[in-house]
Amino acid sequence: MEVIIRPDNGEAVELAARVIAKELREKPTLVLGLATGNTMEPLYARLAQMHKKEKLDFSLCRTFNLDEYVGLAETHKNSYRRYMNEHLFSKINIDIRNTHLPHGISDDHDSDCEKYEDEIEECGGIDLQLLSIGKSGHIGFNEPLSAFFSRTRVKALTPMTIAQNSPLFDRPEEMPKRAITMGVGTILEAKRIVTLVVGGAKAEILAKAVEGPVTSMVSASALQLHQKCIVITDEKAAANLQGRDYYRWIFENEPEWEEFR
Ligand code: GLP
């Protein structure tokens, strides 16, 4: 794992966008794993701007989102399909048929989840998975005690996650209590992982995920096991990290980051 600390949210987003853009330019058929949430909004806005101003081309790119709420139709205001359409897909030149999210409404979630895994495999696996970390330590909706070998499945949400996300619903009590999410095992199979974590509210959980013990009580700690995972963060979210000075030194001195400095 590599931790990169940028001065603020804007610069953290800028770095994440440039890392993604570089991968996409090198491999136009990139299979991109996508996340939702507040953290991703400025990043998607920046990618949309890069499409417009720098002709960043998504026409051959395939995407798989991490998760979707059980029971929400694609058209529901709070569905992640709707979020993705609004924040990214409608603003770039992606073929909507190349975008995949789990289905919130289904007669058979288990077989849908298996199909989702098959589709990822048929595309050759995820090249670059984008993540953030929820306050419960979740990646996707892998709540505490999610098995590190888990695959796409339905997961019950913790009270902490419900408290974090329900204010986004017109009537908070309508927030679904379950979600379909890629498993920790699915996520760990991505060839590269870029995790973006910003803001003081994430300082405590980020320190646990990055420097704490690897434990299924903090799903994001599983990222310590991945061979090619970078965590891009800002000073506020990095406040509790013991190794802050070392991480800063790496970004300022390691040749692989030169073009991004
Ligand atoms: C959400 C999503 C995650 C996301 C996380 C952080 O509920 N299921 O994929 O990364 O929680 O959200 P935010 O960026 O709003 O803090």
Side-chain angles (χ1 to χ4, degrees):
M1 182 184 273
E2 245 182 314
V3 179
I4 308 290
I5 305 174
R6 305 305 296 132
D8 55 34
N9 187 357
E11 293 207 40
V13 164
E14 182 62 22
L15 178 61
R18 287 173 63 193
V19 168
I20 297 164
K22 186 180 181 215
E23 295 256 353
L24 186 57
R25 287 192 178 108
E26 279 170 7
K27 185 180 177 186
T29 58
L30 196 75
V31 181
L32 198 50
L34 297 174
T36 49
N38 294 327
T39 312
M40 294 297 144
E41 287 182 23
L43 176 57
Y44 292 152
R46 182 70 182 106
L47 289 173
Q49 191 185 45
M50 284 173 154
H51 165 65
K52 212 171 155 193
K53 292 198 171 157
E54 300 164 30
K55 302 211 177 341
L56 185 63
D57 181 18
F58 291 84
S59 61
L60 300 175
C61 174
R62 281 88 40 91
T63 68
F64 287 89
N65 263 78
L66 286 165
D67 44 22
E68 180 60 280
Y69 289 112
V70 167
L72 295 198
E74 290 190 353
T75 50
H76 191 284
K77 194 178 153 210
N78 294 101
S79 77
Y80 285 161
R81 164 56 79 179
R82 178 98 174 249
Y83 171 106
M84 289 310 305
N85 288 348
E86 265 177 39
H87 292 287
L88 187 65
F89 300 154
S90 63
K91 297 184 174 157
I92 56 174
N93 65 333
I94 199 160
D95 182 342
I96 207 76
R97 290 168 301 184
N98 287 340
T99 67
H100 305 82
L101 281 95
H103 298 295
I105 297 200
S106 169
D107 293 336
D108 188 349
H109 284 297
D110 289 349
S111 95
D112 271 12
C113 289
E114 271 177 46
K115 270 190 225 148
Y116 203 64
E117 291 277 340
D118 291 345
E119 282 174 332
I120 294 173
E121 209 180 303
E122 279 157 24
C123 283
I126 290 171
D127 293 308
L128 191 160
Q129 177 67 55
L130 202 51
L131 297 176
S132 190
I133 300 178
K135 282 189 196 153
S136 70
H138 68 209
I139 45 177
F141 270 132
N142 289 287
E143 299 287 34
L145 291 188
S146 290
F148 283 2
F149 291 135
S150 54
R151 313 301 307 189
T152 304
R153 70 212 183 289
V154 172
K155 190 79 192 157
L157 302 175
T158 57
M160 189 185 269
T161 297
I162 293 168
Q164 192 187 337
N165 288 8
S166 59
L168 302 170
F169 285 71
D170 285 342
R171 285 155 42 110
E173 65 278 12
E174 277 178 6
M175 178 182 156
K177 307 292 182 286
R178 295 184 305 148
I180 306 127
T181 179
M182 278 186 202
V184 178
T186 321
I187 292 168
L188 289 179
E189 277 174 19
K191 293 170 194 106
R192 186 175 190 192
I193 298 178
V194 174
T195 308
L196 180 64
V197 184
V198 292
K202 298 283 177 72
E204 195 184 325
I205 196 63
L206 183 65
K208 283 187 186 163
V210 170
E211 296 177 337
V214 173
T215 166
S216 61
M217 279 302 288
V218 180
S219 296
S221 71
L223 299 174
Q224 295 176 32
L225 302 172
H226 195 274
Q227 278 191 329
K228 219 177 164 199
C229 173
I230 54 170
V231 175
I232 300 175
T233 185
D234 63 358
E235 288 288 352
K236 284 184 181 159
N240 292 12
L241 296 175
Q242 308 270 329
R244 288 199 304 277
D245 293 341
Y246 171 60
Y247 310 144
R248 287 194 195 101
W249 187 91
I250 288 184
F251 185 69
E252 293 308 329
N253 293 282
E254 283 298 287
E256 64 164 308
W257 293 109
E258 200 176 330
E259 65 184 291
F260 294 102
R261 289 198 280 268

